[in-house]
Amino acid sequence: MWSVNTTDFGWRLHGRTTTLLRDRSFDLTPPPVIGETPFVRHHRREVRGLESCLQCGACTATCDLAGDAGLFPRPQVTFVRLGLTERAAAGPEVWQCYGCTDCTARCPSGAKPAEIMAALRQLATERNAYPRRLARVSNDPRFFWVTYVFTAAFLAGLVAVSGHFRPGAGPIDYAGMLPNDVLIPVFCGLAALVLGAAGAGVARAWSNWRGLGPAPAPAPVRLRWLWHDVRAAVPEIVAQRKLSQCEEGRLRPWAHRAVVLAFVGLAALSGVISLSLLAGGSYPLPMANPGKVLGNVFAVLLIAG
């Protein structure tokens, strides 16, 4: 902590020199070196405009998605300025922001609130994910090569243990490199682990959201209400009509729709093919098979999205 020597002529000190702590009451953002929070240090690129924020509220006032309550992004930017990043990332508001960057385009001081909200979403993902250390590694671009090398080594190990790297002469039999008897159970097991980790992450996020406010009174569960909410939410999740209202990034709604359609289509197609295999169907499928063609179309949509 910085300190200064000063002379106080008050009636108690009678002109003696005393040491006072530096007044930091107006330093809303940490200095570059002393007192810098880990969030600001890790997301320096996203929060580089934080000090220029005027707290004018233009970002919230011009956001078509924030609603009349003004849930974001000004409150979250204020929390970050005060060093309360955990509180900002714990609320559900960071997930109600669509990241369309309209607020950044309309910010008069160049504070880039959309980038700050994106950094808070990444922090919330790391805090709620299970296991957290794996989320930190996979979300950090600096460690992309670690994830890539580990995945490549894992696949090479499966081929070395269960198959072979030399398909042989004649038509290439890819199933000989990685037999389906090994491929299917291993990746089904990995999918089960992913679903379990996702469930644990959702439970953590839900617990954090409930802990931000007073405990709600027990309410009866009405299937009719649940069905009404699901019927209203699913079309919005699929079509992202609110995202189409944003002026920046006009292609983002189409990218989202392509990714959602690809995931849903691949999941449904995998289920159909699995049922056909259980019924005695042949595998692998020829390239001209309609299921194969449709799967490739969904794959192109996924990559393009």
Side-chain angles (χ1 to χ4, degrees):
M1 178 66 73
W2 287 27
S3 61
V4 293
N5 292 329
T6 184
T7 301
D8 192 312
F9 291 94
W11 65 276
R12 288 186 180 275
L13 296 178
H14 303 290
R16 289 178 294 178
T17 300
T18 184
T19 299
L20 299 178
L21 296 177
R22 180 187 177 189
D23 185 2
R24 301 290 298 277
S25 59
F26 294 98
D27 292 349
L28 297 182
T29 54
V33 178
I34 300 176
E36 187 178 63
T37 63
F39 176 81
V40 173
R41 183 166 56 252
H42 184 66
H43 298 280
R44 191 182 302 276
R45 182 177 62 84
E46 290 85 353
V47 303
R48 62 185 181 272
L50 185 63
E51 294 185 6
S52 63
C53 176
L54 303 175
Q55 286 293 296
C56 62
C59 53
T60 298
T62 60
C63 179
D64 296 329
L65 306 174
D68 296 336
L71 298 177
F72 56 87
R74 183 188 180 189
Q76 288 71 35
V77 174
T78 303
F79 281 136
V80 175
R81 286 174 62 88
L82 295 174
L84 303 175
T85 53
E86 296 289 342
R87 169 60 182 85
E93 294 82 10
V94 294
W95 301 109
Q96 296 173 4
C97 169
Y98 281 50
C100 65
T101 70
D102 274 7
C103 56
T104 292
R106 301 168 184 173
C107 178
S109 60
K112 302 186 182 301
E115 285 77 358
I116 296 174
M117 292 292 287
L120 288 173
R121 282 192 293 273
Q122 182 174 345
L123 177 62
T125 301
E126 295 174 358
R127 291 291 183 269
N128 296 325
Y130 181 85
R132 291 175 179 172
R133 189 175 300 277
L134 181 60
R136 293 191 185 101
V137 172
S138 60
N139 275 339
D140 195 333
R142 296 175 300 176
F143 297 110
F144 170 77
W145 64 271
V146 176
T147 307
Y148 188 87
V149 170
F150 175 80
T151 305
F154 178 75
L155 291 175
L158 281 181
V159 173
V161 171
S162 61
H164 49 78
F165 290 97
R166 297 180 180 179
I172 297 178
D173 181 17
Y174 291 102
M177 300 180 65
L178 189 55
N180 295 323
D181 294 341
V182 175
L183 177 68
I184 293 176
V186 167
F187 283 95
C188 285
L190 290 176
L193 290 177
V194 169
L195 292 176
V202 170
R204 281 181 177 176
W206 183 259
S207 177
N208 291 336
W209 298 346
R210 290 174 62 89
L212 292 177
V221 177
R222 295 285 188 269
L223 293 180
R224 177 169 53 87
W225 297 345
L226 178 62
W227 172 245
H228 177 271
D229 293 340
V230 169
R231 207 169 41 170
V234 169
E236 177 58 34
I237 293 173
V238 174
Q240 291 294 307
R241 289 170 295 189
K242 289 184 178 179
L243 187 57
S244 302
Q245 300 173 9
C246 300
E247 296 181 2
E248 300 292 326
R250 291 291 187 178
L251 292 179
R252 290 190 180 190
W254 294 103
H256 172 86
R257 292 162 189 158
V259 172
V260 171
L261 178 61
F263 269 111
V264 173
L266 288 173
L269 189 61
S270 299
V272 172
I273 294 177
S274 299
L275 291 177
S276 67
L277 292 179
L278 292 176
S282 61
Y283 191 84
L285 302 177
M287 292 299 296
N289 184 281
K292 194 81 165 184
V293 174
L294 195 57
N296 289 328
V297 171
F298 289 140
V300 171
L301 281 177
L302 180 62
I303 295 173

mmCIF file of all heavy atoms in Angstrom, residues 17-52:
data_model
loop_
_atom_site.group_PDB
_atom_site.id
_atom_site.type_symbol
_atom_site.label_atom_id
_atom_site.label_comp_id
_atom_site.label_asym_id
_atom_site.label_seq_id
_atom_site.Cartn_x
_atom_site.Cartn_y
_atom_site.Cartn_z
ATOM 1 N N THR A 17 4.931 15.001 12.521
ATOM 2 C CA THR A 17 4.779 14.338 11.225
ATOM 3 C C THR A 17 4.163 12.952 11.435
ATOM 4 O O THR A 17 4.575 12.214 12.340
ATOM 5 C CB THR A 17 6.125 14.194 10.523
ATOM 6 O OG1 THR A 17 6.671 15.492 10.328
ATOM 7 C CG2 THR A 17 5.978 13.488 9.179
ATOM 8 N N THR A 18 3.204 12.622 10.615
ATOM 9 C CA THR A 18 2.555 11.314 10.698
ATOM 10 C C THR A 18 2.436 10.725 9.294
ATOM 11 O O THR A 18 2.583 11.440 8.306
ATOM 12 C CB THR A 18 1.156 11.419 11.323
ATOM 13 O OG1 THR A 18 0.588 10.114 11.469
ATOM 14 C CG2 THR A 18 0.223 12.240 10.448
ATOM 15 N N THR A 19 2.217 9.430 9.202
ATOM 16 C CA THR A 19 2.109 8.728 7.923
ATOM 17 C C THR A 19 0.649 8.391 7.653
ATOM 18 O O THR A 19 -0.019 7.796 8.512
ATOM 19 C CB THR A 19 2.934 7.434 7.936
ATOM 20 O OG1 THR A 19 4.302 7.769 8.156
ATOM 21 C CG2 THR A 19 2.809 6.699 6.604
ATOM 22 N N LEU A 20 0.175 8.793 6.491
ATOM 23 C CA LEU A 20 -1.208 8.534 6.096
ATOM 24 C C LEU A 20 -1.230 7.604 4.895
ATOM 25 O O LEU A 20 -0.355 7.678 4.023
ATOM 26 C CB LEU A 20 -1.925 9.836 5.740
ATOM 27 C CG LEU A 20 -2.034 10.889 6.849
ATOM 28 C CD1 LEU A 20 -2.733 12.123 6.307
ATOM 29 C CD2 LEU A 20 -2.784 10.337 8.050
ATOM 30 N N LEU A 21 -2.216 6.695 4.847
ATOM 31 C CA LEU A 21 -2.392 5.838 3.679
ATOM 32 C C LEU A 21 -2.903 6.653 2.514
ATOM 33 O O LEU A 21 -3.664 7.611 2.689
ATOM 34 C CB LEU A 21 -3.361 4.696 3.990
ATOM 35 C CG LEU A 21 -2.911 3.711 5.059
ATOM 36 C CD1 LEU A 21 -4.009 2.681 5.307
ATOM 37 C CD2 LEU A 21 -1.628 3.019 4.665
ATOM 38 N N ARG A 22 -2.487 6.265 1.346
ATOM 39 C CA ARG A 22 -2.937 6.962 0.147
ATOM 40 C C ARG A 22 -4.442 6.798 -0.015
ATOM 41 O O ARG A 22 -4.980 5.701 0.150
ATOM 42 C CB ARG A 22 -2.226 6.391 -1.085
ATOM 43 C CG ARG A 22 -2.640 7.050 -2.390
ATOM 44 C CD ARG A 22 -2.020 6.318 -3.560
ATOM 45 N NE ARG A 22 -2.466 6.878 -4.820
ATOM 46 C CZ ARG A 22 -2.218 6.334 -6.003
ATOM 47 N NH1 ARG A 22 -1.515 5.222 -6.073
ATOM 48 N NH2 ARG A 22 -2.659 6.897 -7.104
ATOM 49 N N ASP A 23 -5.108 7.899 -0.355
ATOM 50 C CA ASP A 23 -6.565 7.859 -0.545
ATOM 51 C C ASP A 23 -6.874 7.155 -1.854
ATOM 52 O O ASP A 23 -6.527 7.642 -2.932
ATOM 53 C CB ASP A 23 -7.113 9.282 -0.579
ATOM 54 C CG ASP A 23 -8.636 9.300 -0.642
ATOM 55 O OD1 ASP A 23 -9.224 8.212 -0.613
ATOM 56 O OD2 ASP A 23 -9.212 10.400 -0.723
ATOM 57 N N ARG A 24 -7.523 5.976 -1.776
ATOM 58 C CA ARG A 24 -7.881 5.197 -2.959
ATOM 59 C C ARG A 24 -9.398 5.142 -3.154
ATOM 60 O O ARG A 24 -9.897 4.293 -3.882
ATOM 61 C CB ARG A 24 -7.351 3.763 -2.827
ATOM 62 C CG ARG A 24 -5.854 3.666 -2.648
ATOM 63 C CD ARG A 24 -5.117 4.050 -3.904
ATOM 64 N NE ARG A 24 -5.446 3.152 -4.984
ATOM 65 C CZ ARG A 24 -4.853 1.965 -5.146
ATOM 66 N NH1 ARG A 24 -3.926 1.563 -4.326
ATOM 67 N NH2 ARG A 24 -5.195 1.193 -6.160
ATOM 68 N N SER A 25 -10.128 6.018 -2.479
ATOM 69 C CA SER A 25 -11.582 5.907 -2.484
ATOM 70 C C SER A 25 -12.185 6.166 -3.861
ATOM 71 O O SER A 25 -13.293 5.719 -4.148
ATOM 72 C CB SER A 25 -12.186 6.885 -1.467
ATOM 73 O OG SER A 25 -11.810 8.225 -1.773
ATOM 74 N N PHE A 26 -11.461 6.887 -4.730
ATOM 75 C CA PHE A 26 -12.020 7.207 -6.033
ATOM 76 C C PHE A 26 -11.401 6.374 -7.148
ATOM 77 O O PHE A 26 -11.680 6.593 -8.308
ATOM 78 C CB PHE A 26 -11.842 8.698 -6.348
ATOM 79 C CG PHE A 26 -12.631 9.587 -5.448
ATOM 80 C CD1 PHE A 26 -12.046 10.189 -4.361
ATOM 81 C CD2 PHE A 26 -13.989 9.778 -5.672
ATOM 82 C CE1 PHE A 26 -12.790 10.998 -3.523
ATOM 83 C CE2 PHE A 26 -14.733 10.579 -4.840
ATOM 84 C CZ PHE A 26 -14.133 11.196 -3.751
ATOM 85 N N ASP A 27 -10.506 5.437 -6.784
ATOM 86 C CA ASP A 27 -9.899 4.582 -7.782
ATOM 87 C C ASP A 27 -10.804 3.387 -8.044
ATOM 88 O O ASP A 27 -10.677 2.357 -7.399
ATOM 89 C CB ASP A 27 -8.517 4.090 -7.322
ATOM 90 C CG ASP A 27 -7.517 5.236 -7.256
ATOM 91 O OD1 ASP A 27 -7.847 6.322 -7.757
ATOM 92 O OD2 ASP A 27 -6.421 5.025 -6.704
ATOM 93 N N LEU A 28 -11.771 3.560 -8.963
ATOM 94 C CA LEU A 28 -12.724 2.483 -9.223
ATOM 95 C C LEU A 28 -12.085 1.345 -9.991
ATOM 96 O O LEU A 28 -12.505 0.204 -9.884
ATOM 97 C CB LEU A 28 -13.920 3.031 -10.004
ATOM 98 C CG LEU A 28 -14.745 4.076 -9.271
ATOM 99 C CD1 LEU A 28 -15.926 4.502 -10.135
ATOM 100 C CD2 LEU A 28 -15.240 3.552 -7.941
ATOM 101 N N THR A 29 -11.079 1.637 -10.809
ATOM 102 C CA THR A 29 -10.392 0.578 -11.552
ATOM 103 C C THR A 29 -8.999 0.411 -10.976
ATOM 104 O O THR A 29 -8.350 1.383 -10.607
ATOM 105 C CB THR A 29 -10.277 0.936 -13.046
ATOM 106 O OG1 THR A 29 -9.667 2.221 -13.168
ATOM 107 C CG2 THR A 29 -11.646 0.960 -13.684
ATOM 108 N N PRO A 30 -8.513 -0.828 -10.860
ATOM 109 C CA PRO A 30 -7.186 -1.052 -10.299
ATOM 110 C C PRO A 30 -6.112 -0.431 -11.182
ATOM 111 O O PRO A 30 -6.268 -0.343 -12.396
ATOM 112 C CB PRO A 30 -7.060 -2.587 -10.276
ATOM 113 C CG PRO A 30 -8.453 -3.089 -10.435
ATOM 114 C CD PRO A 30 -9.191 -2.059 -11.216
ATOM 115 N N PRO A 31 -5.002 0.031 -10.596
ATOM 116 C CA PRO A 31 -3.892 0.553 -11.394
ATOM 117 C C PRO A 31 -3.251 -0.557 -12.197
ATOM 118 O O PRO A 31 -3.505 -1.733 -11.952
ATOM 119 C CB PRO A 31 -2.934 1.123 -10.332
ATOM 120 C CG PRO A 31 -3.288 0.400 -9.085
ATOM 121 C CD PRO A 31 -4.752 0.120 -9.159
ATOM 122 N N PRO A 32 -2.400 -0.228 -13.174
ATOM 123 C CA PRO A 32 -1.849 -1.253 -14.071
ATOM 124 C C PRO A 32 -1.114 -2.370 -13.364
ATOM 125 O O PRO A 32 -1.168 -3.502 -13.791
ATOM 126 C CB PRO A 32 -0.916 -0.435 -14.981
ATOM 127 C CG PRO A 32 -1.439 0.963 -14.920
ATOM 128 C CD PRO A 32 -2.001 1.131 -13.550
ATOM 129 N N VAL A 33 -0.390 -2.075 -12.269
ATOM 130 C CA VAL A 33 0.414 -3.100 -11.623
ATOM 131 C C VAL A 33 -0.094 -3.390 -10.221
ATOM 132 O O VAL A 33 -0.378 -4.537 -9.873
ATOM 133 C CB VAL A 33 1.899 -2.668 -11.578
ATOM 134 C CG1 VAL A 33 2.732 -3.724 -10.862
ATOM 135 C CG2 VAL A 33 2.427 -2.433 -12.985
ATOM 136 N N ILE A 34 -0.225 -2.367 -9.401
ATOM 137 C CA ILE A 34 -0.594 -2.564 -8.000
ATOM 138 C C ILE A 34 -2.103 -2.751 -7.895
ATOM 139 O O ILE A 34 -2.885 -1.941 -8.378
ATOM 140 C CB ILE A 34 -0.143 -1.359 -7.158
ATOM 141 C CG1 ILE A 34 1.368 -1.202 -7.267
ATOM 142 C CG2 ILE A 34 -0.568 -1.519 -5.718
ATOM 143 C CD1 ILE A 34 1.912 0.004 -6.550
ATOM 144 N N GLY A 35 -2.536 -3.826 -7.285
ATOM 145 C CA GLY A 35 -3.955 -4.045 -7.039
ATOM 146 C C GLY A 35 -4.742 -4.554 -8.231
ATOM 147 O O GLY A 35 -5.965 -4.569 -8.182
ATOM 148 N N GLU A 36 -4.088 -4.968 -9.304
ATOM 149 C CA GLU A 36 -4.806 -5.441 -10.479
ATOM 150 C C GLU A 36 -5.477 -6.775 -10.179
ATOM 151 O O GLU A 36 -4.848 -7.707 -9.695
ATOM 152 C CB GLU A 36 -3.842 -5.600 -11.650
ATOM 153 C CG GLU A 36 -4.525 -5.932 -12.960
ATOM 154 C CD GLU A 36 -3.525 -6.039 -14.101
ATOM 155 O OE1 GLU A 36 -2.666 -6.929 -14.036
ATOM 156 O OE2 GLU A 36 -3.599 -5.219 -15.023
ATOM 157 N N THR A 37 -6.782 -6.876 -10.484
ATOM 158 C CA THR A 37 -7.504 -8.108 -10.202
ATOM 159 C C THR A 37 -7.164 -9.169 -11.238
ATOM 160 O O THR A 37 -6.803 -8.845 -12.372
ATOM 161 C CB THR A 37 -9.019 -7.846 -10.220
ATOM 162 O OG1 THR A 37 -9.399 -7.434 -11.540
ATOM 163 C CG2 THR A 37 -9.398 -6.758 -9.226
ATOM 164 N N PRO A 38 -7.267 -10.440 -10.875
ATOM 165 C CA PRO A 38 -6.975 -11.495 -11.859
ATOM 166 C C PRO A 38 -7.873 -11.416 -13.094
ATOM 167 O O PRO A 38 -7.431 -11.729 -14.199
ATOM 168 C CB PRO A 38 -7.216 -12.784 -11.058
ATOM 169 C CG PRO A 38 -7.030 -12.392 -9.633
ATOM 170 C CD PRO A 38 -7.510 -10.976 -9.545
ATOM 171 N N PHE A 39 -9.123 -11.005 -12.903
ATOM 172 C CA PHE A 39 -10.035 -10.911 -14.049
ATOM 173 C C PHE A 39 -9.531 -9.883 -15.047
ATOM 174 O O PHE A 39 -9.484 -10.138 -16.252
ATOM 175 C CB PHE A 39 -11.425 -10.541 -13.555
ATOM 176 C CG PHE A 39 -12.423 -10.315 -14.666
ATOM 177 C CD1 PHE A 39 -13.043 -11.388 -15.285
ATOM 178 C CD2 PHE A 39 -12.744 -9.039 -15.086
ATOM 179 C CE1 PHE A 39 -13.953 -11.192 -16.312
ATOM 180 C CE2 PHE A 39 -13.650 -8.830 -16.112
ATOM 181 C CZ PHE A 39 -14.253 -9.917 -16.718
ATOM 182 N N VAL A 40 -9.170 -8.688 -14.559
ATOM 183 C CA VAL A 40 -8.676 -7.635 -15.450
ATOM 184 C C VAL A 40 -7.375 -8.064 -16.102
ATOM 185 O O VAL A 40 -7.146 -7.824 -17.297
ATOM 186 C CB VAL A 40 -8.495 -6.317 -14.664
ATOM 187 C CG1 VAL A 40 -7.812 -5.263 -15.528
ATOM 188 C CG2 VAL A 40 -9.842 -5.797 -14.174
ATOM 189 N N ARG A 41 -6.512 -8.738 -15.355
ATOM 190 C CA ARG A 41 -5.227 -9.156 -15.913
ATOM 191 C C ARG A 41 -5.414 -10.224 -16.990
ATOM 192 O O ARG A 41 -4.744 -10.213 -18.017
ATOM 193 C CB ARG A 41 -4.344 -9.687 -14.779
ATOM 194 C CG ARG A 41 -2.941 -10.087 -15.228
ATOM 195 C CD ARG A 41 -2.016 -10.285 -14.042
ATOM 196 N NE ARG A 41 -2.529 -11.261 -13.102
ATOM 197 C CZ ARG A 41 -3.018 -10.969 -11.892
ATOM 198 N NH1 ARG A 41 -3.056 -9.698 -11.497
ATOM 199 N NH2 ARG A 41 -3.459 -11.906 -11.074
ATOM 200 N N HIS A 42 -6.353 -11.160 -16.761
ATOM 201 C CA HIS A 42 -6.559 -12.248 -17.703
ATOM 202 C C HIS A 42 -7.323 -11.793 -18.947
ATOM 203 O O HIS A 42 -7.089 -12.312 -20.044
ATOM 204 C CB HIS A 42 -7.316 -13.384 -17.015
ATOM 205 C CG HIS A 42 -7.496 -14.599 -17.872
ATOM 206 N ND1 HIS A 42 -6.444 -15.378 -18.294
ATOM 207 C CD2 HIS A 42 -8.610 -15.163 -18.419
ATOM 208 C CE1 HIS A 42 -6.886 -16.372 -19.035
ATOM 209 N NE2 HIS A 42 -8.199 -16.266 -19.133
ATOM 210 N N HIS A 43 -8.219 -10.835 -18.770
ATOM 211 C CA HIS A 43 -9.049 -10.361 -19.891
ATOM 212 C C HIS A 43 -8.670 -8.924 -20.253
ATOM 213 O O HIS A 43 -9.546 -8.087 -20.486
ATOM 214 C CB HIS A 43 -10.531 -10.443 -19.524
ATOM 215 C CG HIS A 43 -11.010 -11.824 -19.248
ATOM 216 N ND1 HIS A 43 -11.334 -12.716 -20.238
ATOM 217 C CD2 HIS A 43 -11.215 -12.483 -18.075
ATOM 218 C CE1 HIS A 43 -11.731 -13.858 -19.703
ATOM 219 N NE2 HIS A 43 -11.662 -13.744 -18.395
ATOM 220 N N ARG A 44 -7.393 -8.658 -20.311
ATOM 221 C CA ARG A 44 -6.928 -7.293 -20.568
ATOM 222 C C ARG A 44 -7.442 -6.774 -21.915
ATOM 223 O O ARG A 44 -7.789 -5.601 -22.049
ATOM 224 C CB ARG A 44 -5.404 -7.255 -20.536
ATOM 225 C CG ARG A 44 -4.826 -5.839 -20.538
ATOM 226 C CD ARG A 44 -3.305 -5.895 -20.559
ATOM 227 N NE ARG A 44 -2.786 -6.635 -19.432
ATOM 228 C CZ ARG A 44 -2.595 -6.108 -18.225
ATOM 229 N NH1 ARG A 44 -2.898 -4.850 -18.007
ATOM 230 N NH2 ARG A 44 -2.101 -6.840 -17.250
ATOM 231 N N ARG A 45 -7.502 -7.636 -22.910
ATOM 232 C CA ARG A 45 -7.950 -7.190 -24.230
ATOM 233 C C ARG A 45 -9.423 -6.820 -24.218
ATOM 234 O O ARG A 45 -9.825 -5.836 -24.836
ATOM 235 C CB ARG A 45 -7.698 -8.295 -25.259
ATOM 236 C CG ARG A 45 -8.077 -7.907 -26.683
ATOM 237 C CD ARG A 45 -7.727 -9.026 -27.647
ATOM 238 N NE ARG A 45 -8.471 -10.234 -27.337
ATOM 239 C CZ ARG A 45 -9.722 -10.474 -27.777
ATOM 240 N NH1 ARG A 45 -10.327 -9.575 -28.542
ATOM 241 N NH2 ARG A 45 -10.338 -11.599 -27.477
ATOM 242 N N GLU A 46 -10.250 -7.596 -23.510
ATOM 243 C CA GLU A 46 -11.688 -7.328 -23.489
ATOM 244 C C GLU A 46 -12.037 -6.090 -22.657
ATOM 245 O O GLU A 46 -13.000 -5.388 -22.968
ATOM 246 C CB GLU A 46 -12.447 -8.539 -22.949
ATOM 247 C CG GLU A 46 -12.453 -9.744 -23.872
ATOM 248 C CD GLU A 46 -11.220 -10.614 -23.707
ATOM 249 O OE1 GLU A 46 -10.299 -10.189 -22.967
ATOM 250 O OE2 GLU A 46 -11.177 -11.705 -24.305
ATOM 251 N N VAL A 47 -11.282 -5.822 -21.596
ATOM 252 C CA VAL A 47 -11.642 -4.724 -20.689
ATOM 253 C C VAL A 47 -10.746 -3.512 -20.885
ATOM 254 O O VAL A 47 -10.675 -2.645 -20.014
ATOM 255 C CB VAL A 47 -11.575 -5.199 -19.216
ATOM 256 C CG1 VAL A 47 -12.473 -6.387 -18.993
ATOM 257 C CG2 VAL A 47 -10.145 -5.536 -18.809
ATOM 258 N N ARG A 48 -10.074 -3.421 -22.032
ATOM 259 C CA ARG A 48 -9.139 -2.315 -22.233
ATOM 260 C C ARG A 48 -9.838 -0.958 -22.266
ATOM 261 O O ARG A 48 -9.196 0.071 -22.055
ATOM 262 C CB ARG A 48 -8.344 -2.520 -23.514
ATOM 263 C CG ARG A 48 -9.181 -2.562 -24.781
ATOM 264 C CD ARG A 48 -8.305 -2.884 -25.997
ATOM 265 N NE ARG A 48 -9.053 -2.910 -27.241
ATOM 266 C CZ ARG A 48 -9.669 -3.967 -27.714
ATOM 267 N NH1 ARG A 48 -9.634 -5.096 -27.030
ATOM 268 N NH2 ARG A 48 -10.334 -3.921 -28.848
ATOM 269 N N GLY A 49 -11.146 -0.936 -22.541
ATOM 270 C CA GLY A 49 -11.861 0.334 -22.552
ATOM 271 C C GLY A 49 -12.600 0.626 -21.265
ATOM 272 O O GLY A 49 -13.402 1.566 -21.208
ATOM 273 N N LEU A 50 -12.324 -0.162 -20.210
ATOM 274 C CA LEU A 50 -13.094 -0.034 -18.977
ATOM 275 C C LEU A 50 -12.916 1.332 -18.326
ATOM 276 O O LEU A 50 -13.870 1.923 -17.827
ATOM 277 C CB LEU A 50 -12.671 -1.147 -18.010
ATOM 278 C CG LEU A 50 -13.447 -1.248 -16.697
ATOM 279 C CD1 LEU A 50 -14.914 -1.564 -16.977
ATOM 280 C CD2 LEU A 50 -12.840 -2.320 -15.803
ATOM 281 N N GLU A 51 -11.677 1.860 -18.317
ATOM 282 C CA GLU A 51 -11.415 3.126 -17.644
ATOM 283 C C GLU A 51 -12.091 4.307 -18.344
ATOM 284 O O GLU A 51 -12.269 5.356 -17.734
ATOM 285 C CB GLU A 51 -9.916 3.361 -17.541
ATOM 286 C CG GLU A 51 -9.201 2.365 -16.643
ATOM 287 C CD GLU A 51 -7.726 2.705 -16.463
ATOM 288 O OE1 GLU A 51 -7.327 3.776 -16.964
ATOM 289 O OE2 GLU A 51 -7.017 1.917 -15.845
ATOM 290 N N SER A 52 -12.443 4.140 -19.605
ATOM 291 C CA SER A 52 -13.080 5.241 -20.327
ATOM 292 C C SER A 52 -14.588 5.279 -20.129
ATOM 293 O O SER A 52 -15.244 6.189 -20.633
ATOM 294 C CB SER A 52 -12.765 5.140 -21.821
ATOM 295 O OG SER A 52 -13.315 3.946 -22.369
#
